[in-house]
Amino acid sequence: MAQTEKKAGLLRRTSSSKKPLKEKVVLMYDEIFAKEDPTKSNPRFWDELFLMKVNLEYLEGKLESLDGDEVMKIKDNINSLFHHCVQALGEEHQIKVVNALQTLCALFRGVHQKNKSATGFDIINMLMGFDKAELRMKELMESLDSLLCGDGSESLKSLCLKLLLCLVTVTDNISQNTILEYVMINSIFEAILQILSDVSSRAQHGYDAVVLLALLVNYRKYESVNPYIVKLSIVDDEPTLDGMGMVIHHALAEYNRQYRDKEEENQGGFFSTLTSMVGSMFIADADQKLSIQTNEAILLALYEAVHLNRNFITVLAQSHPEIDIATTPAVPVPASPTTPLGTTPPSLDMMNNPELPLDPNLQTSNLLITFLKYSSIVMQDTKDEHRLNSARLCLIILTCIAEDQYADAFLHDDNMNFRVNLHRMPMRHRKKAADKSIPSRPLVCAVLDLMVEFVVTHMMKEFPMDLYVRCVQIIHKLICYQKKCRVRMHYTWRDLWSALINLLKFLLSNETILLAKHNIFQLALQVVNLFNMFITYGDTFLPTPSSYDELYYEIIRMHQVFDNLYCMVLRVSTNAGQWKEPASKVTHALVNVRAIINHFNPKIESYAAVNHISQLSEDQVLEVVRSNYDTLTLKLQDGLDQFERYSEQPREAGFFKELVRSISLNVRKNVSLSTMSQDVLLKEFSSIS
């Protein structure tokens, strides 16, 4: 009892009537920041230090107040502190381990904060001494690995992951963090996999583990061989991959749920009443209110898994009951109250129950469906750079999926039908579709719906050209698969054709403005070649002969758009200038579309004249089309079903470097060891002597 009082007394402050004394731990920190070796006056200095409750704020502040030269004057003491922190991780006394982990985090953050301009080698020298760095980091990584893989406290495992996230994100540019070379050499990859494969560990630590892995994979990925990339690409253990998929799925599902709740809240309040009174003029404002911060870290993890590991593709399609996360008992997750919505780990309590009861009336879901719903939210608003990048990453992931043979097989599988309620942008000229009206269909229909929705809703002054190009490429890749495998999808192709024609119309109407910033001929060529795919190969993948007739009807009905496009590209291609060559490619690509228009229009006019009809119905036009196919001559165009496969390097390298920088800053902001209450931790381990 006396010993307990003595320990408490070390942390006790004096009464307010007297001059406040410094905590014992603060006095000990001051001794470290003096030039003398603190063990000279107290041989048990380091043993006592790690029994003290860490004062993170004071320690980090003290380190941040010193520049490089000042740190070098007390380098031996800082090196000694680092060394004894690592040694304390092997202690049986759990309070010492907790305090050592928190002290290490303060060291990493404090030294980097003040010395941002210093080289990585200087930082290493300040922290642990360059001659001892390899040994110290080996010991540190081995201790962290043992703690993560052992049967010890879950709180300690959480602290270990938070320390690693702290270490990985101390520099703005992750690839300039030279200390991570030691994390590459002394890999914790297997420890991360163990967390993801174990149901209990995954529920508590899966989110941090997945984010950590995504960041480590991006360390100097273009400059050297990154062992985490190599190892992730060959993982074939099903429970591990399923575990990773489950963590990503629940993080995205939680975001979707939060967005839906926010949407319902907005629709049911005063704002909704006001909108209904004065019309739809405030729809854009309502949408802005729903701009919840996206979760790029978890999206990056999904991208790396899909891009690097072919085995992960099977995880996308794994079906399970679609249960509203909010209805399950939540496990509280410590988080800063200022953390933006969508950036904290979700409550992963459902992961504790791998055997969920299957209700025949319950709608099933999978990771891909959850991702498509997530994409439909983030792709609505691309006006700011942050959300634009998030939408871009969603489309890159869909590009990788659309290129994968196995993914295409389950996307088009008629035996795997799902009802996917995508979020649609509020628009004045259309009503919100009722969820119940959405049929159960193969998943490729939902992907195409998402692409059509994007095409229809983003024709605006700040035109997202890059996203449109990716969107049309995804559609093209899916159609190439359908043509190759002769898959006849019962899809409302008219919606797609109409969206694409309206896109061409928009490009024509805004030619001058858009050409100042973009090569609109590249996009126009892709759209025209999509029509060429339908014209040339439509009989192999369109569901019925009447679908092929409807294609011709749409081209003829909207012939003015194609005529105007031809006039525009002909004008540009016959004049000298930077767009001469790309415009001429569109001119050549239009040959069959123009042949159809020039062949059928006179026959339709003749039919109308003979039958004294001023305006033909759709059925009458279709009758003319069907009876005049025989005399139509089309040119066979090569390479329509060919496409360039996705490659991250070099085209996307700049994007991912900036994305990882943004994620790193966000993780650093949100990962704070102080969010896990020191009092709670100390109470948990107070019974351990």
Side-chain angles (χ1 to χ4, degrees):
M1 184 71 182
Q3 189 180 2
T4 307
E5 286 176 2
K6 186 180 177 183
K7 281 184 187 177
L10 296 174
L11 300 174
R12 190 182 297 133
R13 294 182 184 275
T14 58
S15 64
S16 57
S17 60
K18 297 178 183 178
K19 186 179 179 180
L21 296 174
K22 287 185 177 180
E23 291 176 82
K24 175 72 181 288
V25 74
V26 169
L27 293 170
M28 296 182 84
Y29 290 155
D30 287 344
E31 288 187 60
I32 294 169
F33 288 100
K35 293 177 186 176
E36 292 295 319
D37 179 354
T39 58
K40 283 184 179 178
S41 57
N42 179 5
R44 288 182 48 79
F45 179 86
W46 298 113
D47 284 331
E48 290 178 11
L49 178 68
F50 294 110
L51 288 169
M52 303 291 106
K53 179 180 172 182
V54 178
N55 189 324
L56 283 167
E57 189 178 351
Y58 185 84
L59 182 54
E60 278 188 54
K62 195 76 174 173
L63 286 163
E64 287 173 17
S65 69
L66 305 175
D67 61 26
D69 292 337
E70 290 170 315
V71 172
M72 290 308 291
K73 289 175 186 175
I74 56 164
K75 172 182 161 307
D76 290 344
N77 283 356
I78 298 293
N79 291 173
S80 192
L81 174 59
F82 190 95
H83 172 51
H84 285 93
C85 282
V86 174
Q87 281 193 322
L89 296 182
E91 291 271 2
E92 289 185 15
H93 202 309
Q94 300 289 278
I95 285 179
K96 285 188 174 183
V97 180
V98 169
N99 289 330
L101 287 167
Q102 293 188 322
T103 304
L104 280 167
C105 186
L107 273 172
F108 284 129
R109 285 200 298 226
V111 170
H112 276 90
Q113 190 64 30
K114 184 65 178 181
N115 299 282
K116 288 184 176 178
S117 60
T119 67
F121 299 107
D122 288 338
I123 296 284
I124 290 167
N125 197 29
M126 290 176 200
L127 279 170
M128 59 197 96
F130 202 70
D131 55 334
K132 296 277 176 48
E134 196 169 329
L135 175 62
R136 296 284 177 265
M137 286 302 296
K138 184 174 186 290
E139 291 169 344
L140 173 60
M141 297 308 294
E142 285 176 353
S143 295
L144 293 175
D145 189 79
S146 297
L147 288 167
L148 288 170
C149 296
D151 298 325
S153 159
E154 297 302 330
S155 298
L156 277 184
K157 290 182 181 181
S158 182
L159 275 174
C160 289
L161 287 167
K162 296 245 184 311
L163 172 62
L164 285 163
L165 284 169
C166 169
L167 170 58
V168 171
T169 60
V170 283
T171 55
D172 292 352
N173 182 346
I174 191 173
S175 294
Q176 290 177 350
N177 187 352
T178 313
I179 296 176
L180 293 187
E181 285 296 332
Y182 300 110
V183 183
M184 296 294 118
I185 297 165
N186 305 287
S187 174
I188 49 152
F189 184 80
E190 286 70 23
I192 293 172
L193 292 198
Q194 185 172 315
I195 288 168
L196 295 175
S197 60
D198 179 76
V199 175
S200 177
S201 289
R202 180 171 71 236
Q204 298 187 62
H205 314 298
Y207 184 88
D208 282 348
V210 162
V211 172
L212 176 63
L213 180 58
L215 289 169
L216 288 171
V217 162
N218 280 275
Y219 174 72
R220 294 186 181 171
K221 69 193 304 189
Y222 308 120
E223 294 113 67
S224 59
V225 177
N226 181 321
Y228 290 85
I229 292 177
V230 176
K231 290 180 178 182
L232 179 58
S233 67
I234 58 174
V235 174
D236 58 1
D237 179 61
E238 199 174 319
T240 302
L241 293 171
D242 287 348
M244 187 175 185
M246 193 133 358
V247 172
I248 295 168
H249 172 267
H250 280 273
L252 297 179
E254 174 68 5
Y255 176 92
N256 294 349
R257 184 190 65 78
Q258 290 175 346
Y259 180 87
R260 191 180 66 243
D261 290 350
K262 196 92 173 170
E263 192 177 41
E264 288 171 359
E265 180 186 315
N266 275 19
Q267 287 172 352
F270 170 76
F271 184 84
S272 177
T273 309
L274 184 64
T275 303
S276 62
M277 286 168 61
V278 297
S280 304
M281 64 176 70
F282 296 118
I283 277 177
D285 294 331
D287 194 44
Q288 285 170 8
K289 280 190 175 183
L290 299 179
S291 293
I292 299 166
Q293 184 169 336
T294 49
N295 191 338
E296 276 80 22
I298 214 73
L299 212 56
L300 179 67
L302 175 59
Y303 164 74
E304 297 296 357
V306 168
H307 180 231
L308 294 174
N309 192 306
R310 273 213 81 217
N311 300 312
F312 190 80
I313 292 291
T314 61
V315 176
L316 293 173
Q318 296 226 345
S319 296
H320 52 78
E322 186 175 58
I323 297 176
D324 193 336
I325 294 173
T327 63
T328 59
V331 176
V333 178
S336 165
T338 58
T339 302
L341 201 60
T343 59
T344 51
S347 52
L348 303 181
D349 45 282
M350 282 176 63
M351 293 189 217
N352 283 318
N353 185 9
E355 298 296 327
L356 290 163
L358 281 170
D359 181 343
N361 299 316
L362 196 61
Q363 163 77 358
T364 54
S365 183
N366 55 42
L367 175 54
L368 181 58
I369 290 173
T370 304
F371 168 65
L372 289 173
K373 290 180 179 179
Y374 179 89
S375 300
S376 72
I377 295 169
V378 302
M379 285 165 58
Q380 285 184 30
D381 177 16
T382 58
K383 287 173 186 172
D384 68 84
E385 192 175 358
H386 177 76
R387 297 183 71 80
L388 185 73
N389 288 338
S390 194
R392 185 177 182 183
L393 185 52
C394 287
L395 288 172
I396 289 174
I397 293 168
L398 282 170
T399 300
C400 294
I401 292 170
E403 283 183 8
D404 186 271
Q405 195 79 1
Y406 178 80
D408 282 328
F410 75 69
L411 281 174
H412 292 84
D413 191 340
D414 237 346
N415 298 312
M416 290 175 64
N417 292 329
F418 297 91
R419 186 176 289 109
V420 184
N421 299 321
L422 298 175
H423 293 263
R424 304 175 81 210
M425 187 184 289
M427 296 182 80
R428 296 185 189 93
H429 63 273
R430 68 179 184 187
K431 292 180 180 178
K432 185 178 178 182
D435 291 349
K436 290 179 182 177
S437 68
I438 298 166
S440 193
R441 306 170 295 171
L443 281 173
V444 69
C445 297
V447 179
L448 289 169
D449 281 349
L450 182 63
M451 298 301 99
V452 169
E453 175 69 10
F454 181 84
V455 170
V456 168
T457 56
H458 288 77
M459 297 180 220
M460 53 195 180
K461 189 177 178 183
E462 291 300 317
F463 188 69
M465 175 63 79
D466 176 72
L467 301 191
Y468 267 96
V469 169
R470 292 175 192 278
C471 196
V472 175
Q473 285 173 342
I474 290 166
I475 297 167
H476 179 238
K477 287 169 184 179
L478 293 171
I479 292 173
C480 285
Y481 174 83
Q482 292 170 19
K483 178 256 175 186
K484 177 185 173 185
C485 298
R486 294 182 172 265
V487 178
R488 296 187 184 276
M489 290 308 307
H490 288 274
Y491 181 71
T492 50
W493 292 109
R494 266 193 172 182
D495 290 348
L496 174 62
W497 299 331
S498 175
L500 293 174
I501 291 169
N502 282 327
L503 174 57
L504 291 176
K505 192 175 179 181
F506 175 82
L507 295 179
L508 286 165
S509 302
N510 297 276
E511 175 195 347
T512 308
I513 298 168
L514 293 174
L515 268 180
K517 296 180 181 178
H518 310 290
N519 175 6
I520 62 171
F521 302 104
Q522 177 196 7
L523 181 58
L525 180 64
Q526 288 181 322
V527 171
V528 171
N529 277 339
L530 271 184
F531 279 101
N532 285 330
M533 276 286 288
F534 282 103
I535 293 165
T536 310
Y537 303 115
D539 59 326
T540 65
F541 62 84
L542 286 172
T544 60
S546 62
S547 301
Y548 196 73
D549 302 337
E550 286 168 6
L551 167 68
Y552 277 56
Y553 174 80
E554 284 300 313
I555 292 172
I556 295 161
R557 185 176 72 88
M558 300 300 289
H559 71 90
Q560 196 64 56
V561 175
F562 293 105
D563 291 344
N564 292 345
L565 176 64
Y566 181 74
C567 291
M568 189 265 276
V569 292
L570 189 65
R571 167 173 49 82
V572 176
S573 63
T574 51
N575 294 323
Q578 68 177 116
W579 306 120
K580 181 180 173 69
E581 189 178 340
S584 66
K585 287 180 180 178
V586 182
T587 310
H588 296 309
L590 280 166
V591 61
N592 281 340
V593 173
R594 294 190 71 243
I596 291 167
I597 293 167
N598 293 335
H599 176 74
F600 286 106
N601 263 357
K603 291 181 170 23
I604 290 167
E605 288 168 7
S606 173
Y607 180 92
V610 169
N611 293 281
H612 307 290
I613 304 170
S614 59
Q615 193 170 354
L616 271 63
S617 67
E618 181 177 335
D619 288 339
Q620 288 168 328
V621 173
L622 288 171
E623 184 186 329
V624 176
V625 168
R626 291 188 191 106
S627 57
N628 286 281
Y629 275 133
D630 294 347
T631 52
L632 174 65
T633 304
L634 298 174
K635 286 188 178 180
L636 187 62
Q637 294 175 307
D638 295 327
L640 292 175
D641 57 347
Q642 305 296 313
F643 58 81
E644 184 183 350
R645 293 191 66 82
Y646 170 79
S647 175
E648 183 182 317
Q649 172 75 339
R651 188 175 295 172
E652 310 293 350
F655 167 70
F656 278 102
K657 281 180 181 176
E658 286 306 310
L659 181 74
V660 172
R661 179 191 290 268
S662 171
I663 291 169
S664 181
L665 288 168
N666 202 39
V667 170
R668 185 167 75 210
K669 186 174 65 177
N670 291 320
V671 170
S672 171
L673 293 185
S674 58
T675 59
M676 183 169 283
S677 169
Q678 288 177 301
D679 292 330
V680 173
L681 283 167
L682 294 173
K683 186 178 179 182
E684 180 180 341
F685 299 119
S686 61
S687 59
I688 304 170
S689 57

